[in-house]
């Protein structure tokens, strides 16, 4: 395209067509004013503005009639955002507009499209008499302020990148903001970044419109500017702006082969499209420049005939490479992120994702470019390896076997945007000056609760408590929320100088629930709570008695970390605090007549989740986390429901508290279960090694080797090739009260990416948890005693089977050295029984060191994904009987496996990794029903379906008619643990 260009250093002025003398900025705007703008909409037979474009233009016009505040327009990629910007500028006759974009390539592309206003002229939105705008392209900082002023004064539209402009001096910013009347931000999801924020501040008094397809961020930061228009992706798809996206999943577990597998499939699609006369290009996505170069070498070696090009930032020759791609000379482009935002090459229709984006907004932006309808170019195709899946939960469904990308991108995008709009709706109902953006407020989860009989509130009285010269108030009358931010200046305690002070900000929130006749105060200055309450309500009473402890109701296996006591009659001792292991003493003291409970704090389980909760008789309730304003409101309402429930007995709650005590001797009880510290399960990066061998931790078991209730606490860590036995000694002669010592076998070391240390050393810092038949557990020298609620194992959970043809002393279906499955084994019997039901999507043989269970079976039904874990154990005798030892180890395994329940995605990852490691062995696959693709698919569906867990003990050595009380004790201990942590039922399959 030929246009007149005047270079000024590295920057330039441009105008189309070529003329002898540039028109002035005023002359251009004058022609816009004289020729009415034509808002013609497209039809089936004529070109015109798309519905999304007209909607956005009119939304901006409407907004500017009532507000000069920044506003955000949400338009999906490919719906004509750039032309919408130009239409706003011309139709509103904006004299001088500054457009900021995120990249150099997008800057150049925007300049080229702005020069001719070609799309607007195609359907006569503007007449031939309207002059094109004078364009200034800022590629670098001008040499002086006079040069900058000259460039800007002569232009209608100035285009540059945020990274360049953010480095301008204040003098340069003053020139830009003084001469420009409008700011347009492209790809506005970047605005919370520091460089973009500075630009926004400098243009605070100018009209500002922001455009984005994704008005949300993964880091939780909020985009300022009310969303005044949101064109949903679902409507864009329905109106034909997007073609369907064909997803081609690759399932390659071998990391060394995955890149070639993706490349082969992607090039196969490219060549098929080429044979069908589609001029498609293949984009290869890498995460880093290093990875991009590696992939360039791979594609150049195997697919040189398609002339691959590498396009990465800072590399010479990018412009020529893009030209080669556009004219079809090169069919494969390898890049990092240069094509994520705004870059327009319509022929890009195939994407090979070698490294997945871990961000929802970027994924939507990136893939949206491929799905846009472009003439007769056909549908888009995406290739990715679904076996390599370390990504955010919200994206996991995309990378599944049967994923419908068109539907899923629509759902993910609209769910996220809807959440932002709901938060903005809450924020929008606030009035008053915001010193801190309300959407960015993250209060600590705590509150004081008050009763009130008032029908109205006097929120205007806030300034009787806080100095309005140093404070700001925001009020939401609809939701009954009052927020005060207060600037506080105080002296420091390490100097007498009055010139050195601390400047801090205090946050005060009041929320009134009219229906419950209660209100809540969250404040960083607790001494002001009552004054704040009295100013707003004429009648109020702080909830400050033992009924507050009802908030602990429903928390299972509550373990108190602190108990505070206050003498009822005063005296020399005003307050006593019992922390950690001393809480039992505190509870005992609380039962005496001369003290009362002051505060409690603990951790436990509620609704199958780990939680923390604390409360004080003075009226405070709190938890150990920080959250958004709307979350705090929901939490207050939930806690209030418990506190107001008169049917909840505080004393009954405290009867179920778990008590930890320091012990100096081995507990006089029978241990039956032991487990690695949970953090070791959460990563596949841990390895155990000796001088000559090394293996992943997931291939190891930890088992007890204790002989009886009085013998030393010994346990074994082994994978079959490496084994080390340890002894845990409890005694006050050790500084920590206990020690873990090497007893026999190999000297095993624990290794991860950062360090190596002997396993015995690790256990001295992180002791494995040992569980006993009396429902107590030992963590180093801390013994936790549970309240025993169950003494008889539920008879309905006992399943008696006949074991004809089964050697009940043979556990595994794969016996050492055997070439075939042992069809007389316990495990084989269980798997055969499950197969006969014909209702399982997955049956997985997980038997071996490091197993989750001997058999993992999964049922998929319309409402839930059900996991059944079967723990098999061989009999201690030839006949079924009442040997308690037959239950010890298998009950311990049943307790151990429930730690996977809140981490089901990790459970599936572990199964996949164990399958990958098994494939190299003679036994072949671990799958008895289903395969890796189906398992990956189930993992994605977990986001949308609830999961259920069932745990089975399989011990044919137990006679269902001869279960003794000691056996009931062991079964009840395991059953109680499963129920009270994650509400899981334990069942026994026996004889």
């Amino acid at each position: 395209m030929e246009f007149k260009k005047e270079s000024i250093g590295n920057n330039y002025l441009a105008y189309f067509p070529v003329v002898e003398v540039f028109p002035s900025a005023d002359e251009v705007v004058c022609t816009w004013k004289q020729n009415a703008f034509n808002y013609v909409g497209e039809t089936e037979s004529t070109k015109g503005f798309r519905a999304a474009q007209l909607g956005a233009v009119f939304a901006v016009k409407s907004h500017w009639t009532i507000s000069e505040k920044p506003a955000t327009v949400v338009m999906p990629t490919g719906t004509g955002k750039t032309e919408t910007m130009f239409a706003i500028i011309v139709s509103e006759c904006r004299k001088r507009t500054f457009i900021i974009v995120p990249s150099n390539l997008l800057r150049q592309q925007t300049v080229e499209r702005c020069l001719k206003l070609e799309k607007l002229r195609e359907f006569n939105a503007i007449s031939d008499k309207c002059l094109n705008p004078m364009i200034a392209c800022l590629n670098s900082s001008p040499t002086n302020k006079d040069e900058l002023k000259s460039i800007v004064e002569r232009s209608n539209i100035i285009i540059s990148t945020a990274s360049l402009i953010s480095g301008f001096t204040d003098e340069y910013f003053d020139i830009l903001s003084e001469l420009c009347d409008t700011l347009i931000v492209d790809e506005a999801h970047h605005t919370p970044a520091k460089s973009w924020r500075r630009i926004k501040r400098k243009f605070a008094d100018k009209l500002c419109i922001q455009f984005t397809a994704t008005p949300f961020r993964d880091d939780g930061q909020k985009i300022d500017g009310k969303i005044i228009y949101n064109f949903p992706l679902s409507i864009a798809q329905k109106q034909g702006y997007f073609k369907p996206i064909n997803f081609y999943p690759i399932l390659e577990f071998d990391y060394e082969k995955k890149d070639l597998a993706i490349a082969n499939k992607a090039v196969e699609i490219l060549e098929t499209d080429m044979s069908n006369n589609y001029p498609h290009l293949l984009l290869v996505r890498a995460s880093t420049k290093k990875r991009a170069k590696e992939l360039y070498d791979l594609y150049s070696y195997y697919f040189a005939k398609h002339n691959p090009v590498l396009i990465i930032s800072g590399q010479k020759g990018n412009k020529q490479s893009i030209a080669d791609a556009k004219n079809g000379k090169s069919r494969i482009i390898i890049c990092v992120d240069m094509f994520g935002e705004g870059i327009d090459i319509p022929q890009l229709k195939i994407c090979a994702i070698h490294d997945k984006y871990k961000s929802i907004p970027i994924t939507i932006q990136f893939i949206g470019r491929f799905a846009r309808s472009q003439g007769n170019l056909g549908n888009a195709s995406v290739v990715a390896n679904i076996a390599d899946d370390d990504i955010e939960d919200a994206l996991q469904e995309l990378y599944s076997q049967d994923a419908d990308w068109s539907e899923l991108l629509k759902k993910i995008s609209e769910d996220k945007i809807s959440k932002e709009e709901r938060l903005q709706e809450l924020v929008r109902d606030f009035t008053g000056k915001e010193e801190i953006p309300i959407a960015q407020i993250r209060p600590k989860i705590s509150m004081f609760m008050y009763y009130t009989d008032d029908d109205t509130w006097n929120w205007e009285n806030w300034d009787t408590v806080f100095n309005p010269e140093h404070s700001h108030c925001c009020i939401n009358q609809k939701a009954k929320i009052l927020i005060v931010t207060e600037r506080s200046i105080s002296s420091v305690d390490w100097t007498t100088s009055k010139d050195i002070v601390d400047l801090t900000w205090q946050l005060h929130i009041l929320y009134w629930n009219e229906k419950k006749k209660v209100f809540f105060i969250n404040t960083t200055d607790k001494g002001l709570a009552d004054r704040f309450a009295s100013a707003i309500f004429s009648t109020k009473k702080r909830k400050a008695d033992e009924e507050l402890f009802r908030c602990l109701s429903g928390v299972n296996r509550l373990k108190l970390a602190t108990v505070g006591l206050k003498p009822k009659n005063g005296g020399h001792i005003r307050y006593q605090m019992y922390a950690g292991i001393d809480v039992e003493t505190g509870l005992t003291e609380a039962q005496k007549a001369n003290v009362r409970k002051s505060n409690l704090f603990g951790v436990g389980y509620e609704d199958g989740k780990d939680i923390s909760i604390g409360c004080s008789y003075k009226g405070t309730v709190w938890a150990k986390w920080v959250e958004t304003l709307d979350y705090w409101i929901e939490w207050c309402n939930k806690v209030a429901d418990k506190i107001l429930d008169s049917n909840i007995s505080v004393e009954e709650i405290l009867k179920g508290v778990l008590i930890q005590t320091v012990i100096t001797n081995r507990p006089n009880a029978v241990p039956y279960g032991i487990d690695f510290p949970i953090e070791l399960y959460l990563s596949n990066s841990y390895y155990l090694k000796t001088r000559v061998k090394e293996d992943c931790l997931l291939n190891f078991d930890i088992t007890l080797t204790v002989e009886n209730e009085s013998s030393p606490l010994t346990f074994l860590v082994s994978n079959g090739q490496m084994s080390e036995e340890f002894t845990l000694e409890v005694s006050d002669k050790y500084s920590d009260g206990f020690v873990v010592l090497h007893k026999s076998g190999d000297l095993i070391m624990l290794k991860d990416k950062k360090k190596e240390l002997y396993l015995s050393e690790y256990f001295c810092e992180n002791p494995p948890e040992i569980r006993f038949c009396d429902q107590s557990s030992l963590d180093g020298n801390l013994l936790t005693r549970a309240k025993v609620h169950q003494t008889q194992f539920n008879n309905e959970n006992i399943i008696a089977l006949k074991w004809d043809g089964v050697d009940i002393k043979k556990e595994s279906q794969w016996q050492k050295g055997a070439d075939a499955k042992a069809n007389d084994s316990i495990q084989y019997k269980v798997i055969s029984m499950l197969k006969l039901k014909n209702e399982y999507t997955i049956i997985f043989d997980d038997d071996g060191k490091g197993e989750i269970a001997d058999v993992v079976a999964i049922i998929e039904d319309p409402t839930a994904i059900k996991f059944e874990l079967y723990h098999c154990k061989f009999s201690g005798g030839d006949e079924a009987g009442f040997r308690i030892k037959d239950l010890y180890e298998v009950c311990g395994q049943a307790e151990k496996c429930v730690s996977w329940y809140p981490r089901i995605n990790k459970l599936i990852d572990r199964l996949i990794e164990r399958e990958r490691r098994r494939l190299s062995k003679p036994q072949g696959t671990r799958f008895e029903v289903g395969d890796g693709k189906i398992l990956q698919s189930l993992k994605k569906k977990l986001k949308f379906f609830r999961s259920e867990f069932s745990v089975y003990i399989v011990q044919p050595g137990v006679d269902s008619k001869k279960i003794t009380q000691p056996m009931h004790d062991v079964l009840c201990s395991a059953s109680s643990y499963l129920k009270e942590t994650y509400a899981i039922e334990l069942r026994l399959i026996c004889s």
Side-chain angles (χ1 to χ4, degrees), residues 312-493:
I312 54 178
S313 61
Q315 176 181 259
K316 293 182 178 180
N318 280 346
K319 189 173 182 180
Q320 182 59 49
S321 295
I322 292 175
D324 289 344
K326 285 184 174 181
N327 63 31
K329 182 178 179 181
S330 296
R331 291 284 186 174
I332 300 174
I333 302 171
I334 296 95
C335 74
V336 182
D337 291 327
M338 299 184 70
F339 289 83
E341 295 170 328
I343 304 305
D344 189 17
I345 301 180
Q347 301 97 309
L348 282 174
K349 283 294 177 182
I350 307 166
C351 179
I353 304 180
H354 288 260
D355 301 319
K356 301 183 185 74
Y357 285 109
K358 297 184 181 181
S359 160
I360 296 171
I362 297 175
T363 300
I364 293 172
Q365 292 270 354
F366 183 74
I367 298 301
R369 311 221 69 78
F370 292 82
R372 291 181 298 172
S373 296
Q374 298 278 357
N376 297 314
L377 284 176
N379 297 341
S381 300
V382 176
V383 183
N385 182 27
I386 63 175
D388 179 21
D389 204 354
D390 180 22
I391 54 174
E392 182 178 336
D393 288 346
L395 285 176
Q396 288 179 352
E397 180 70 1
L398 284 175
Y399 297 103
S400 62
Q401 181 65 22
D402 301 314
D404 183 336
W405 275 48
S406 299
E407 284 298 311
L408 288 171
L409 284 173
K410 173 186 71 178
K411 181 181 185 303
I412 292 170
S413 172
E414 293 183 3
D415 284 352
K416 287 281 187 179
I417 294 172
S418 176
K419 183 177 179 181
E420 292 299 318
E421 287 185 308
R422 286 196 300 272
L423 181 59
Q424 283 203 359
E425 183 179 354
L426 176 66
V427 172
R428 189 159 54 243
D429 289 329
F430 278 90
T431 57
K433 183 177 180 181
E434 292 183 30
E435 189 68 20
I436 302 169
I438 293 173
Q440 305 278 12
I441 290 176
R442 295 290 188 275
K444 291 182 178 179
I445 299 300
S446 68
M447 57 85 165
F448 292 102
M449 177 175 165
Y450 295 82
Y451 293 121
T452 182
D453 290 324
D454 290 5
D455 295 324
T456 59
W457 64 336
N458 305 304
W459 68 267
E460 303 93 338
N461 292 343
W462 71 272
D463 58 1
T464 64
V465 181
F466 308 101
N467 185 345
E469 292 184 6
H470 305 296
S471 306
H472 303 282
C473 167
C474 291
I475 177 70
N476 186 326
Q477 287 277 25
K478 182 178 179 181
K480 296 295 185 291
I481 306 168
L482 174 64
I483 299 176
V484 177
T485 53
E486 177 189 22
R487 183 163 48 90
S488 173
I489 299 175
S490 60
S491 60
V492 297
D493 57 8

Side-chain angles (χ1 to χ4, degrees), residues 901-917:
Y901 176 67
R903 291 167 279 273
I904 292 180
N905 282 340
K906 290 286 185 179
L907 181 153
I908 292 179
D909 289 340
R910 190 175 177 99
L911 295 181
I912 291 170
E913 180 64 16
R914 285 173 68 78
E915 166 70 357
R916 188 180 74 82
R917 290 172 176 271

Side-chain angles (χ1 to χ4, degrees), residues 800-827:
L801 298 180
K802 292 183 179 180
W803 296 87
D804 298 338
V806 175
D807 181 352
I808 64 173
K809 297 180 72 174
K810 186 183 292 183
E811 179 183 321
S812 176
Q813 69 172 350
W814 283 106
Q815 297 294 304
K816 189 173 182 179
D819 295 327
K821 297 177 182 177
N823 58 12
D824 61 343
S825 66
I826 300 169
Q827 187 190 17

Side-chain angles (χ1 to χ4, degrees), residues 152-185:
V152 174
E153 283 181 333
R154 297 170 64 189
S155 308
N156 297 107
I157 298 175
I158 302 95
I159 303 170
S160 193
T161 61
S163 59
L164 172 64
I165 301 302
S166 63
F168 275 16
T169 64
D170 287 339
E171 276 188 323
Y172 280 18
F173 264 118
D174 290 342
I175 292 170
L176 278 172
S177 60
E178 182 181 328
L179 294 177
C180 295
D181 54 18
T182 311
L183 174 67
I184 291 182
V185 180

